[in-house]
Amino acid sequence: MYLVILIGNGLLIIASIFDSHLHTPMYFFLGNLSFLDICYTSSSVPSTLVSLISKKRNISFSGCAVQMFLGFAMGSTECLLLGMMAFDRYVAICNPLRYLIIMNKVVYVLMASVSWLSGGINSIVQTFLAMRLPFCGNNIINHFTCEILAVLKLACADISLNIVTMVISNMAFLVLPLLVIFFSYMFILYTILRMNSATGRHKAFSTCSAHLTVVIIFYGTIFFMYAKPKSQELPGEDKFQTSDKLISLFYGVVTPMLNPIIYSLRNKDVKTAVKYLLNRKPIR
């Protein structure tokens, strides 16, 4: 699965860079999403594979902090990027004549930069607040990686500040982008239903279906994990068990693997660009 993530997302990045037909805001965001998925999985999957193969399941305090920062930063950034992509589709379908003016290069580069910067700042705050806590006991993380909720369970101090900041983070990085996505697609649906051409409706639906599928898969799993922080529980009532770990593994590995497959299957431009890259003969 990790190799599929690297190859699939790598091909999408290369195609979006070298194919001039893909030099548009939508494929720029898609390239960012693919790069993010590679970084996201690379922050945790290699160490998980090593622990499974070698039975070495220790991680240093600083290594845990780095893994937590990267995972949280990539997750936060992806939430914002998906919201930006929904807005891009809204402008393309509801204001097609003004699309190139509204979504010019300065605007979409700035939108992506804000997503990355905001996700990084959010992760710095959450990681700092989590790793400053005192940890006592056997310090066994009941998870595949240094996932923030699993680490907070080990703290032997008041974590009310962590809970408050995580609730605020959830509002900013989960709820607000989801509202942007929801209202964008409400306007898109209204515009599509008013179209007289069946071909136009089909084309509009096809350009949005891939993004909407990714949003449903990603937000469905991420909301289950972070909408209600489960940081400390009474002894003997360990709820952070197999189901939560598998859900975390799903949005951390399965979703990044499915993203390039979904976008390439649903998009003729991407399929054409990838086929061209794979079939191109080397220059002698």
Side-chain angles (χ1 to χ4, degrees):
M1 290 170 69
Y2 183 53
L3 289 175
V4 171
I5 291 168
L6 294 178
I7 295 170
N9 287 287
L11 283 174
L12 277 181
I13 293 171
I14 295 171
S16 65
I17 293 173
F18 291 103
D19 194 317
S20 59
H21 297 95
L22 303 184
H23 291 174
T24 63
M26 182 176 75
Y27 297 112
F28 175 78
F29 287 125
L30 182 56
N32 274 261
L33 187 64
S34 295
F35 177 71
L36 184 148
D37 284 338
I38 290 175
C39 295
Y40 191 28
T41 52
S42 296
S43 68
S44 58
V45 173
S47 63
T48 303
L49 292 174
V50 169
S51 68
L52 291 172
I53 295 170
S54 66
K55 304 296 183 181
K56 180 184 177 183
R57 299 180 181 175
N58 297 327
I59 188 169
S60 65
F61 186 81
S62 58
C64 185
V66 170
Q67 193 176 75
M68 183 186 297
F69 165 76
L70 290 174
F72 213 91
M74 298 302 107
S76 301
T77 304
E78 182 159 358
C79 290
L80 295 181
L81 274 178
L82 290 174
M84 301 292 186
M85 293 172 76
F87 177 77
D88 172 70
R89 291 298 84 207
Y90 158 74
V91 177
I93 294 173
C94 300
N95 296 281
L97 297 180
R98 300 182 59 200
Y99 177 66
L100 294 179
I101 299 174
I102 297 173
M103 295 298 296
N104 59 69
K105 188 173 183 178
V106 174
V107 171
Y108 66 74
V109 170
L110 182 62
M111 290 168 68
S113 301
V114 169
S115 299
W116 283 95
L117 184 62
S118 300
I121 292 173
N122 180 48
S123 185
I124 289 173
V125 172
Q126 298 295 339
T127 304
F128 171 76
L129 291 176
M131 303 310 283
R132 71 178 180 82
L133 295 168
F135 298 97
C136 49
N138 52 21
N139 287 342
I140 297 176
I141 301 172
N142 190 13
H143 204 275
F144 298 116
T145 64
C146 282
E147 204 275 336
I148 190 167
L149 297 181
V151 173
L152 286 179
K153 286 180 59 181
L154 303 178
C156 45
D158 180 31
I159 59 168
S160 57
L161 179 60
N162 300 80
I163 294 175
V164 170
T165 55
M166 193 164 289
V167 170
I168 295 172
S169 174
N170 288 341
M171 294 296 295
F173 290 88
L174 290 178
V175 178
L176 290 181
L178 195 60
L179 287 175
V180 172
I181 294 169
F182 176 77
F183 285 109
S184 294
Y185 275 102
M186 286 298 99
F187 285 116
I188 288 171
L189 184 61
Y190 176 74
T191 303
I192 290 175
L193 293 177
R194 292 180 61 193
M195 291 180 178
N196 296 321
S197 170
T199 305
R201 285 197 298 269
H202 176 74
K203 185 177 180 180
F205 271 121
S206 64
T207 58
C208 297
S209 58
H211 176 256
L212 199 55
T213 303
V214 170
V215 166
I216 292 171
I217 294 173
F218 180 79
Y219 269 95
T221 53
I222 208 87
F223 250 103
F224 189 89
M225 289 295 299
Y226 293 103
K228 295 180 180 179
K230 298 171 284 186
S231 48
Q232 269 191 339
E233 293 149 355
L234 296 174
E237 294 185 6
D238 188 7
K239 299 178 183 178
F240 202 83
Q241 288 295 329
T242 306
S243 61
D244 286 340
K245 294 179 196 174
L246 290 176
I247 289 168
S248 177
L249 194 65
F250 189 89
Y251 75 73
V253 179
V254 178
T255 303
M257 183 186 71
L258 291 177
N259 285 353
I261 298 173
I262 293 170
Y263 278 108
S264 60
L265 288 176
R266 294 280 186 175
N267 194 298
K268 291 182 179 179
D269 293 334
V270 173
K271 283 194 286 187
T272 302
V274 171
K275 285 180 181 178
Y276 173 75
L277 287 173
L278 294 175
N279 296 328
R280 189 171 60 177
K281 295 181 180 179
I283 299 175
R284 294 180 180 179

Short mmCIF file of all heavy atoms in Angstrom, two decimals, residues 212-260:
data_model
loop_
_atom_site.label_atom_id
_atom_site.label_comp_id
_atom_site.label_asym_id
_atom_site.label_seq_id
_atom_site.Cartn_x
_atom_site.Cartn_y
_atom_site.Cartn_z
N LEU A 212 -15.55 15.09 -4.45
CA LEU A 212 -16.59 14.80 -3.47
C LEU A 212 -16.39 13.42 -2.84
O LEU A 212 -16.60 13.24 -1.64
CB LEU A 212 -17.96 14.88 -4.13
CG LEU A 212 -19.18 15.06 -3.20
CD1 LEU A 212 -19.01 16.27 -2.31
CD2 LEU A 212 -20.45 15.17 -4.02
N THR A 213 -15.95 12.46 -3.64
CA THR A 213 -15.67 11.12 -3.11
C THR A 213 -14.54 11.15 -2.10
O THR A 213 -14.62 10.55 -1.02
CB THR A 213 -15.29 10.16 -4.27
OG1 THR A 213 -16.33 10.14 -5.23
CG2 THR A 213 -15.05 8.76 -3.75
N VAL A 214 -13.46 11.88 -2.42
CA VAL A 214 -12.32 12.01 -1.51
C VAL A 214 -12.75 12.71 -0.21
O VAL A 214 -12.34 12.32 0.89
CB VAL A 214 -11.17 12.78 -2.19
CG1 VAL A 214 -10.08 13.14 -1.19
CG2 VAL A 214 -10.59 11.97 -3.33
N VAL A 215 -13.56 13.76 -0.33
CA VAL A 215 -14.04 14.50 0.84
C VAL A 215 -14.83 13.59 1.77
O VAL A 215 -14.63 13.59 3.00
CB VAL A 215 -14.92 15.70 0.41
CG1 VAL A 215 -15.69 16.27 1.60
CG2 VAL A 215 -14.05 16.79 -0.21
N ILE A 216 -15.74 12.80 1.20
CA ILE A 216 -16.58 11.91 2.02
C ILE A 216 -15.73 10.88 2.76
O ILE A 216 -15.91 10.64 3.96
CB ILE A 216 -17.64 11.21 1.14
CG1 ILE A 216 -18.65 12.23 0.63
CG2 ILE A 216 -18.36 10.11 1.93
CD1 ILE A 216 -19.61 11.68 -0.42
N ILE A 217 -14.76 10.28 2.06
CA ILE A 217 -13.90 9.27 2.68
C ILE A 217 -13.05 9.89 3.77
O ILE A 217 -12.96 9.37 4.90
CB ILE A 217 -13.01 8.58 1.62
CG1 ILE A 217 -13.87 7.77 0.63
CG2 ILE A 217 -11.98 7.67 2.29
CD1 ILE A 217 -13.09 7.21 -0.53
N PHE A 218 -12.39 11.02 3.46
CA PHE A 218 -11.47 11.64 4.41
C PHE A 218 -12.20 12.19 5.62
O PHE A 218 -11.85 11.89 6.77
CB PHE A 218 -10.68 12.76 3.71
CG PHE A 218 -9.71 13.46 4.62
CD1 PHE A 218 -8.49 12.87 4.93
CD2 PHE A 218 -10.02 14.70 5.17
CE1 PHE A 218 -7.59 13.51 5.77
CE2 PHE A 218 -9.12 15.34 6.01
CZ PHE A 218 -7.91 14.75 6.30
N TYR A 219 -13.22 13.01 5.39
CA TYR A 219 -13.93 13.64 6.51
C TYR A 219 -14.72 12.62 7.32
O TYR A 219 -14.88 12.79 8.54
CB TYR A 219 -14.85 14.75 6.00
CG TYR A 219 -14.18 16.09 5.96
CD1 TYR A 219 -13.60 16.57 4.79
CD2 TYR A 219 -14.11 16.89 7.10
CE1 TYR A 219 -12.97 17.80 4.76
CE2 TYR A 219 -13.49 18.12 7.07
CZ TYR A 219 -12.93 18.58 5.90
OH TYR A 219 -12.30 19.79 5.87
N GLY A 220 -15.22 11.58 6.67
CA GLY A 220 -15.96 10.57 7.41
C GLY A 220 -15.11 9.91 8.48
O GLY A 220 -15.57 9.71 9.62
N THR A 221 -13.86 9.59 8.13
CA THR A 221 -12.97 8.95 9.10
C THR A 221 -12.37 9.94 10.08
O THR A 221 -12.28 9.67 11.28
CB THR A 221 -11.84 8.22 8.36
OG1 THR A 221 -11.20 9.12 7.45
CG2 THR A 221 -12.36 7.05 7.58
N ILE A 222 -11.99 11.12 9.61
CA ILE A 222 -11.32 12.09 10.47
C ILE A 222 -12.27 12.66 11.51
O ILE A 222 -11.89 12.92 12.65
CB ILE A 222 -10.68 13.24 9.63
CG1 ILE A 222 -9.47 13.83 10.35
CG2 ILE A 222 -11.66 14.34 9.32
CD1 ILE A 222 -8.19 13.12 10.07
N PHE A 223 -13.55 12.83 11.16
CA PHE A 223 -14.53 13.33 12.12
C PHE A 223 -14.76 12.32 13.23
O PHE A 223 -14.93 12.68 14.40
CB PHE A 223 -15.86 13.66 11.42
CG PHE A 223 -16.13 15.12 11.35
CD1 PHE A 223 -15.93 15.82 10.16
CD2 PHE A 223 -16.58 15.82 12.45
CE1 PHE A 223 -16.17 17.17 10.08
CE2 PHE A 223 -16.83 17.17 12.37
CZ PHE A 223 -16.63 17.86 11.20
N PHE A 224 -14.76 11.05 12.88
CA PHE A 224 -14.97 10.00 13.87
C PHE A 224 -13.86 10.03 14.92
O PHE A 224 -14.10 9.76 16.10
CB PHE A 224 -15.01 8.65 13.19
CG PHE A 224 -15.45 7.53 14.10
CD1 PHE A 224 -16.79 7.20 14.23
CD2 PHE A 224 -14.51 6.82 14.82
CE1 PHE A 224 -17.19 6.17 15.07
CE2 PHE A 224 -14.90 5.79 15.67
CZ PHE A 224 -16.24 5.47 15.80
N MET A 225 -12.64 10.38 14.48
CA MET A 225 -11.50 10.37 15.38
C MET A 225 -11.39 11.65 16.21
O MET A 225 -11.09 11.59 17.40
CB MET A 225 -10.21 10.19 14.57
CG MET A 225 -10.05 8.81 13.98
SD MET A 225 -9.87 7.52 15.23
CE MET A 225 -8.38 8.06 16.04
N TYR A 226 -11.62 12.81 15.59
CA TYR A 226 -11.26 14.07 16.24
C TYR A 226 -12.43 14.99 16.58
O TYR A 226 -12.22 16.02 17.23
CB TYR A 226 -10.27 14.85 15.37
CG TYR A 226 -8.94 14.16 15.25
CD1 TYR A 226 -8.59 13.47 14.10
CD2 TYR A 226 -8.04 14.18 16.30
CE1 TYR A 226 -7.38 12.82 13.99
CE2 TYR A 226 -6.82 13.53 16.20
CZ TYR A 226 -6.49 12.86 15.05
OH TYR A 226 -5.30 12.21 14.95
N ALA A 227 -13.63 14.67 16.17
CA ALA A 227 -14.75 15.55 16.50
C ALA A 227 -15.01 15.58 18.00
O ALA A 227 -15.43 16.58 18.55
CB ALA A 227 -16.01 15.11 15.76
N LYS A 228 -14.74 14.44 18.68
CA LYS A 228 -14.89 14.38 20.13
C LYS A 228 -13.60 13.83 20.72
O LYS A 228 -13.39 12.63 20.77
CB LYS A 228 -16.06 13.45 20.51
CG LYS A 228 -17.41 13.97 20.05
CD LYS A 228 -18.51 13.01 20.45
CE LYS A 228 -19.87 13.51 19.99
NZ LYS A 228 -20.96 12.59 20.35
N PRO A 229 -12.69 14.73 21.17
CA PRO A 229 -11.42 14.26 21.72
C PRO A 229 -11.62 13.28 22.85
O PRO A 229 -12.34 13.55 23.80
CB PRO A 229 -10.76 15.57 22.22
CG PRO A 229 -11.40 16.64 21.42
CD PRO A 229 -12.81 16.18 21.17
N LYS A 230 -10.93 12.11 22.73
CA LYS A 230 -11.02 11.09 23.77
C LYS A 230 -9.62 10.93 24.35
O LYS A 230 -8.86 10.06 23.95
CB LYS A 230 -11.51 9.77 23.18
CG LYS A 230 -12.88 9.87 22.58
CD LYS A 230 -13.24 8.62 21.81
CE LYS A 230 -12.53 8.59 20.49
NZ LYS A 230 -12.93 7.46 19.65
N SER A 231 -9.25 11.78 25.29
CA SER A 231 -7.87 11.85 25.71
C SER A 231 -7.56 11.06 26.95
O SER A 231 -6.56 10.39 27.05
CB SER A 231 -7.47 13.30 25.91
OG SER A 231 -8.45 13.96 26.69
N GLN A 232 -8.43 11.16 27.96
CA GLN A 232 -8.18 10.44 29.19
C GLN A 232 -9.41 9.67 29.59
O GLN A 232 -10.52 10.18 29.56
CB GLN A 232 -7.82 11.43 30.32
CG GLN A 232 -6.32 11.68 30.44
CD GLN A 232 -6.00 12.43 31.70
OE1 GLN A 232 -6.84 13.09 32.29
NE2 GLN A 232 -4.77 12.32 32.11
N GLU A 233 -9.23 8.43 29.96
CA GLU A 233 -10.33 7.59 30.33
C GLU A 233 -9.99 6.88 31.62
O GLU A 233 -8.83 6.77 32.01
CB GLU A 233 -10.63 6.58 29.21
CG GLU A 233 -11.17 7.26 27.96
CD GLU A 233 -10.79 6.52 26.69
OE1 GLU A 233 -10.04 5.53 26.78
OE2 GLU A 233 -11.22 6.96 25.62
N LEU A 234 -10.98 6.40 32.29
CA LEU A 234 -10.77 5.72 33.55
C LEU A 234 -10.04 4.40 33.33
O LEU A 234 -10.20 3.76 32.30
CB LEU A 234 -12.12 5.46 34.23
CG LEU A 234 -12.90 6.72 34.63
CD1 LEU A 234 -14.27 6.31 35.16
CD2 LEU A 234 -12.13 7.52 35.67
N PRO A 235 -9.22 3.97 34.32
CA PRO A 235 -8.53 2.69 34.17
C PRO A 235 -9.53 1.56 33.94
O PRO A 235 -10.57 1.48 34.58
CB PRO A 235 -7.81 2.54 35.51
CG PRO A 235 -7.65 3.94 36.03
CD PRO A 235 -8.87 4.68 35.56
N GLY A 236 -9.16 0.67 33.04
CA GLY A 236 -10.04 -0.45 32.73
C GLY A 236 -11.11 -0.12 31.71
O GLY A 236 -11.90 -0.98 31.34
N GLU A 237 -11.16 1.14 31.26
CA GLU A 237 -12.15 1.54 30.27
C GLU A 237 -11.45 2.05 29.02
O GLU A 237 -11.72 3.14 28.53
CB GLU A 237 -13.09 2.61 30.84
CG GLU A 237 -13.95 2.10 31.98
CD GLU A 237 -14.95 3.15 32.45
OE1 GLU A 237 -15.03 4.21 31.81
OE2 GLU A 237 -15.63 2.90 33.45
N ASP A 238 -10.53 1.29 28.53
CA ASP A 238 -9.75 1.68 27.35
C ASP A 238 -10.58 1.53 26.09
O ASP A 238 -10.78 0.43 25.58
CB ASP A 238 -8.49 0.81 27.27
CG ASP A 238 -7.55 1.31 26.20
OD1 ASP A 238 -7.82 2.39 25.64
OD2 ASP A 238 -6.55 0.62 25.93
N LYS A 239 -11.04 2.66 25.59
CA LYS A 239 -11.88 2.65 24.39
C LYS A 239 -11.07 2.85 23.12
O LYS A 239 -11.60 2.75 22.02
CB LYS A 239 -12.95 3.75 24.51
CG LYS A 239 -13.88 3.56 25.68
CD LYS A 239 -14.87 4.72 25.77
CE LYS A 239 -15.77 4.58 26.99
NZ LYS A 239 -16.70 5.72 27.11
N PHE A 240 -9.80 3.22 23.30
CA PHE A 240 -8.98 3.47 22.11
C PHE A 240 -8.40 2.14 21.64
O PHE A 240 -7.22 1.88 21.75
CB PHE A 240 -7.86 4.44 22.47
CG PHE A 240 -7.30 5.15 21.27
CD1 PHE A 240 -7.93 6.27 20.76
CD2 PHE A 240 -6.16 4.69 20.66
CE1 PHE A 240 -7.41 6.92 19.66
CE2 PHE A 240 -5.64 5.33 19.56
CZ PHE A 240 -6.27 6.45 19.07
N GLN A 241 -9.26 1.26 21.18
CA GLN A 241 -8.87 -0.09 20.84
C GLN A 241 -8.85 -0.30 19.34
O GLN A 241 -8.63 0.64 18.59
CB GLN A 241 -9.81 -1.08 21.54
CG GLN A 241 -9.62 -1.18 23.05
CD GLN A 241 -8.24 -1.73 23.43
OE1 GLN A 241 -7.67 -2.55 22.71
NE2 GLN A 241 -7.73 -1.29 24.56
N THR A 242 -9.09 -1.52 18.93
CA THR A 242 -8.89 -1.91 17.54
C THR A 242 -9.65 -1.04 16.55
O THR A 242 -9.09 -0.63 15.53
CB THR A 242 -9.31 -3.38 17.34
OG1 THR A 242 -8.61 -4.18 18.29
CG2 THR A 242 -8.98 -3.85 15.94
N SER A 243 -10.92 -0.73 16.82
CA SER A 243 -11.72 0.02 15.86
C SER A 243 -11.12 1.40 15.59
O SER A 243 -11.00 1.82 14.44
CB SER A 243 -13.16 0.16 16.35
OG SER A 243 -13.20 0.85 17.58
N ASP A 244 -10.72 2.12 16.65
CA ASP A 244 -10.14 3.45 16.48
C ASP A 244 -8.80 3.39 15.77
O ASP A 244 -8.47 4.26 14.96
CB ASP A 244 -9.98 4.13 17.84
CG ASP A 244 -11.30 4.60 18.42
OD1 ASP A 244 -12.26 4.74 17.63
OD2 ASP A 244 -11.39 4.81 19.64
N LYS A 245 -8.01 2.37 16.08
CA LYS A 245 -6.71 2.23 15.42
C LYS A 245 -6.87 1.96 13.93
O LYS A 245 -6.15 2.51 13.10
CB LYS A 245 -5.91 1.09 16.06
CG LYS A 245 -5.50 1.34 17.50
CD LYS A 245 -4.75 0.14 18.01
CE LYS A 245 -4.66 0.15 19.52
NZ LYS A 245 -4.07 -1.07 20.06
N LEU A 246 -7.85 1.10 13.60
CA LEU A 246 -8.09 0.79 12.20
C LEU A 246 -8.61 2.00 11.43
O LEU A 246 -8.27 2.21 10.27
CB LEU A 246 -9.08 -0.38 12.09
CG LEU A 246 -8.55 -1.75 12.52
CD1 LEU A 246 -9.65 -2.79 12.45
CD2 LEU A 246 -7.36 -2.17 11.67
N ILE A 247 -9.44 2.81 12.09
CA ILE A 247 -9.93 4.04 11.46
C ILE A 247 -8.77 5.00 11.22
O ILE A 247 -8.66 5.62 10.16
CB ILE A 247 -11.02 4.69 12.32
CG1 ILE A 247 -12.30 3.85 12.29
CG2 ILE A 247 -11.34 6.11 11.84
CD1 ILE A 247 -13.33 4.24 13.31
N SER A 248 -7.89 5.11 12.20
CA SER A 248 -6.70 5.96 12.05
C SER A 248 -5.83 5.45 10.91
O SER A 248 -5.30 6.23 10.11
CB SER A 248 -5.91 5.99 13.35
OG SER A 248 -4.73 6.73 13.22
N LEU A 249 -5.69 4.13 10.82
CA LEU A 249 -4.90 3.54 9.74
C LEU A 249 -5.57 3.78 8.39
O LEU A 249 -4.90 3.98 7.37
CB LEU A 249 -4.75 2.03 9.99
CG LEU A 249 -3.70 1.29 9.16
CD1 LEU A 249 -2.31 1.77 9.52
CD2 LEU A 249 -3.81 -0.21 9.40
N PHE A 250 -6.91 3.81 8.39
CA PHE A 250 -7.66 4.02 7.15
C PHE A 250 -7.37 5.40 6.58
O PHE A 250 -7.01 5.53 5.41
CB PHE A 250 -9.16 3.85 7.41
CG PHE A 250 -9.98 3.82 6.16
CD1 PHE A 250 -10.24 2.63 5.50
CD2 PHE A 250 -10.50 5.00 5.63
CE1 PHE A 250 -10.99 2.60 4.34
CE2 PHE A 250 -11.25 4.98 4.47
CZ PHE A 250 -11.50 3.78 3.82
N TYR A 251 -7.54 6.47 7.41
CA TYR A 251 -7.32 7.81 6.86
C TYR A 251 -5.83 8.12 6.71
O TYR A 251 -5.46 9.05 6.00
CB TYR A 251 -8.05 8.88 7.68
CG TYR A 251 -7.44 9.25 9.02
CD1 TYR A 251 -6.27 10.00 9.10
CD2 TYR A 251 -8.05 8.90 10.21
CE1 TYR A 251 -5.73 10.36 10.32
CE2 TYR A 251 -7.53 9.25 11.44
CZ TYR A 251 -6.35 9.98 11.48
OH TYR A 251 -5.82 10.33 12.70
N GLY A 252 -4.97 7.33 7.38
CA GLY A 252 -3.54 7.58 7.26
C GLY A 252 -2.88 6.84 6.12
O GLY A 252 -1.82 7.26 5.63
N VAL A 253 -3.48 5.73 5.67
CA VAL A 253 -2.87 4.91 4.63
C VAL A 253 -3.82 4.65 3.46
O VAL A 253 -3.47 4.85 2.30
CB VAL A 253 -2.37 3.57 5.21
CG1 VAL A 253 -1.74 2.71 4.11
CG2 VAL A 253 -1.37 3.80 6.32
N VAL A 254 -5.02 4.19 3.77
CA VAL A 254 -5.96 3.80 2.72
C VAL A 254 -6.40 5.01 1.89
O VAL A 254 -6.41 4.97 0.66
CB VAL A 254 -7.19 3.08 3.32
CG1 VAL A 254 -8.19 2.72 2.21
CG2 VAL A 254 -6.76 1.82 4.05
N THR A 255 -6.76 6.11 2.58
CA THR A 255 -7.21 7.31 1.86
C THR A 255 -6.13 7.87 0.93
O THR A 255 -6.43 8.16 -0.24
CB THR A 255 -7.67 8.39 2.86
OG1 THR A 255 -8.71 7.85 3.67
CG2 THR A 255 -8.19 9.62 2.13
N PRO A 256 -4.86 8.05 1.38
CA PRO A 256 -3.83 8.51 0.44
C PRO A 256 -3.61 7.56 -0.72
O PRO A 256 -3.21 8.00 -1.80
CB PRO A 256 -2.58 8.59 1.33
CG PRO A 256 -3.09 8.79 2.70
CD PRO A 256 -4.35 7.99 2.76
N MET A 257 -3.85 6.25 -0.50
CA MET A 257 -3.70 5.29 -1.59
C MET A 257 -4.84 5.42 -2.60
O MET A 257 -4.64 5.30 -3.81
CB MET A 257 -3.66 3.87 -1.03
CG MET A 257 -3.45 2.79 -2.08
SD MET A 257 -3.58 1.11 -1.43
CE MET A 257 -5.35 1.02 -1.11
N LEU A 258 -6.05 5.69 -2.09
CA LEU A 258 -7.22 5.79 -2.97
C LEU A 258 -7.27 7.10 -3.75
O LEU A 258 -7.83 7.13 -4.85
CB LEU A 258 -8.49 5.65 -2.14
CG LEU A 258 -8.78 4.26 -1.52
CD1 LEU A 258 -10.04 4.32 -0.68
CD2 LEU A 258 -8.89 3.21 -2.59
N ASN A 259 -6.73 8.18 -3.19
CA ASN A 259 -6.83 9.50 -3.82
C ASN A 259 -6.37 9.52 -5.28
O ASN A 259 -7.13 9.94 -6.16
CB ASN A 259 -6.07 10.54 -3.01
CG ASN A 259 -6.82 10.96 -1.75
OD1 ASN A 259 -7.97 10.56 -1.54
ND2 ASN A 259 -6.19 11.75 -0.92
N PRO A 260 -5.14 9.07 -5.59
CA PRO A 260 -4.72 9.11 -7.01
C PRO A 260 -5.55 8.19 -7.89
O PRO A 260 -5.77 8.48 -9.06
CB PRO A 260 -3.25 8.67 -6.96
CG PRO A 260 -3.11 7.93 -5.68
CD PRO A 260 -4.06 8.57 -4.73
#
